[in-house]
Amino acid sequence: MRALRVGWLLVRHEVRLLHSLVLWAARRTHGTAGGTAFGYARGQGPMMFGFAFVCVIETVAMSVLLRDWPVVERAVLVLDVYGVVIVVGMHAASVVRPHVLYDDGSLRIRNAGHVDVRVPLELVASVRRELRTTHEKADGELNLPIGAQTSVTVELTEPVTHVTFLGRRQPVRVLRFHADDATGLVRALAREQERGAAA
């Protein structure tokens, strides 16, 4: 039963990546209506495309090495091409699924197709621009580095629930993530908090 659940979660994740490729090609974003989007993928673009290029080179090399075994060559070619699609899909998911500060008073923190956490602004105790390049695992903390760094830290008065990639529910009170315009996000979040407090 657990194997079926894990399989379903993997399939769902890959469908999100493929859907993200379609959105990226159409120059659209996911879940940004009614809010302000803050991207985070700019810093990882060159690395992801470099990784995709290495995968393409590996695909060509395997085709040459396996040319005497056509059945095996075709099977490996399909797997290699799908691998390249998934790598590009991971970057596409980061582009089309940005962080979103909604007008209804919530912050949506995302990382590609596998992390999606909603934070009501009334739970935010503090938010600051904080560049970190090292992250140690700790209970109640969620670190989402891009290019090995985070640039925004949000501390909460009470935990919100983060659902992990394999479906485990984890309470978090500190969230660290990256935003290309970290200063703009922090200022916008502070303004929304002030507006909420004055209402």
Side-chain angles (χ1 to χ4, degrees), residues 1 7 31 38 44 46 57 59 71 80 83 89 141 162 170 174-175:
M1 189 69 178
F38 292 89
Q44 75 175 10
I57 296 299
T59 300
V71 174
D80 283 345
E141 295 185 3
H162 161 55
Q170 172 186 6
V174 177
L175 300 101

Side-chain angles (χ1 to χ4, degrees), residues 12-62:
R12 188 177 67 174
H13 181 256
E14 292 194 10
V15 168
R16 280 184 190 155
L17 297 185
L18 297 175
H19 180 241
S20 296
L21 279 172
V22 173
L23 291 176
W24 193 36
R27 297 181 178 272
R28 295 174 58 195
T29 55
H30 175 271
T32 57
T36 305
F38 292 89
Y40 53 87
R42 190 186 311 149
Q44 75 175 10
M47 179 186 71
M48 294 300 288
F49 285 114
F51 187 40
F53 178 73
V54 169
C55 290
V56 169
I57 296 299
E58 187 260 349
T59 300
V60 173
M62 290 302 292

